[in-house]
Structure formats: C-alpha cells, structure tokens
Amino acid sequence: MHTQNVPKMIQRIQSVYLFLIALVSLLFFSGSIVNFINGSGSVFKITFDSIIKSTEGQGLEIIEKLLPLTVLIILIPIISLITIFIFKNRKIQLRLAMFLMILCTLLVIALIHRSIITITKFEATITPGFKMILPLVMLILSVLVYRGIKKDDHLVKSYDRLR
C-alpha cells in the first residue's frame, strides 16, 4: 500500500514547472515577442507567426511568415501539458521532458537567428521588452523538469531496491 503513494508524493514541482512553461508559452500567441526600430522610425515586430513592419501613416505590413516559429510555439504548451498527465509512466515522461528541452532550445535559437537577420536586413536595433527573456526562462524550467523527473525516477528505483 505504501509503494503506491510514492509516485503520488513526488512529481509536484515538475508539474508546477511544466504548467509554468505552458502558461508562459501561451503569452506568445498575442502581441510581439521581439521588437526592433530602425533609423527611419519603422518598427519591426516578431510575432508568433510572422515579422510585421509598422510605419507611421502606412499601417502594418507583413514582411515574412514564420512557420517554424509558429510550430514551436504551438508544440511547447501541448507537450508540456501532455507531460504533466503522463506521471504514471516516468520513462515516457522523461522522453517528453527531453523533447520539451529540445523544443525550448530550438525556440531560443530560432528567435536569436530571426533577430540577427532582422537587425542586419533592416539596420534596426532591438527594443528591450519583457517577452524577450521568456524563451530563456522556459528553457531553464524545462531543464529543471528533466532533472526533477530523472531524480524522481532514481528515487523510485532505489525505493524498489529496498523492498
């Protein structure tokens, strides 16, 4: 009877981290992720699905669609929520946590890559913003999730050895 309680007692902090990753990634669906401004006063915004140019008096213009970024931003909360609910199978949960770490890393790399291209192509400078640091926060949380699940797996295995 006591062995059934062990998996329920652990996994709590990982679930909180996974839920935070899902919440933070949902913030990317609205507004811009990274903003730029160039010498002529044009504002460039990387949103979850495109790069948008905003010029006074001319309105908004979609410069480029960003399908890989869109796919990443959609997959991250889905994988995060699935990982929360697969707590009974730590082996699959560990693989999903590794996949989530890879997705978060790819998101950071994709945003840095698109930012560098935007800076060089339009001679723009980055405007600091809150959402710029969120992909790094998600990456750190995903690493903590992976480490926590791995630690719980070792704990359960050592508990089983003691029986």
Side-chain angles (χ1 to χ4, degrees):
M1 182 97 176
H2 189 270
T3 59
Q4 293 175 344
N5 290 336
V6 172
K8 292 179 184 175
M9 295 302 292
I10 56 181
Q11 296 276 329
R12 290 186 182 162
I13 194 70
Q14 291 88 299
S15 298
V16 171
Y17 292 155
L18 286 164
F19 187 70
L20 284 174
I21 290 171
L23 277 179
V24 168
S25 63
L26 290 177
L27 292 174
F28 293 140
F29 286 107
S30 65
S32 61
I33 301 171
V34 184
N35 296 321
F36 306 90
I37 191 164
N38 68 2
S40 65
S42 296
V43 176
F44 299 91
K45 298 176 181 182
I46 296 178
T47 63
F48 104 99
D49 66 341
S50 59
I51 297 178
I52 298 175
K53 179 182 178 184
S54 174
T55 309
E56 284 188 39
Q58 293 181 358
L60 300 176
E61 175 188 351
I62 295 176
I63 294 175
E64 184 178 351
K65 290 284 188 181
L66 302 174
L67 184 63
L69 192 62
T70 305
V71 170
L72 284 172
I73 292 174
I74 290 172
L75 275 178
I76 289 173
I78 292 171
I79 298 298
S80 179
L81 292 174
I82 289 172
T83 307
I84 291 173
F85 295 109
I86 301 186
F87 62 90
K88 290 185 180 183
N89 191 338
R90 275 180 306 283
K91 189 177 262 189
I92 293 174
Q93 192 181 35
L94 200 59
R95 287 186 180 149
L96 285 174
M98 176 61 82
F99 186 58
L100 185 64
M101 244 180 6
I102 292 168
L103 289 176
C104 289
T105 304
L106 288 174
L107 178 66
V108 169
I109 291 169
L111 284 172
I112 290 172
H113 180 265
R114 293 310 311 170
S115 296
I116 290 171
I117 288 174
T118 305
I119 288 170
T120 56
K121 187 174 181 180
F122 301 108
E123 297 177 1
T125 57
I126 290 183
T127 305
F130 171 69
K131 287 187 181 178
M132 284 175 48
I133 62 166
L134 293 181
L136 290 173
V137 170
M138 289 168 46
L139 179 60
I140 292 168
L141 288 173
S142 67
V143 170
L144 291 174
V145 165
Y146 182 78
R147 287 180 56 197
I149 294 170
K150 195 163 183 77
K151 184 174 149 185
D152 286 350
D153 192 38
H154 289 305
L155 179 67
V156 170
K157 284 180 182 176
S158 69
Y159 184 79
D160 287 342
R161 277 189 296 238
L162 290 175
R163 279 193 305 158

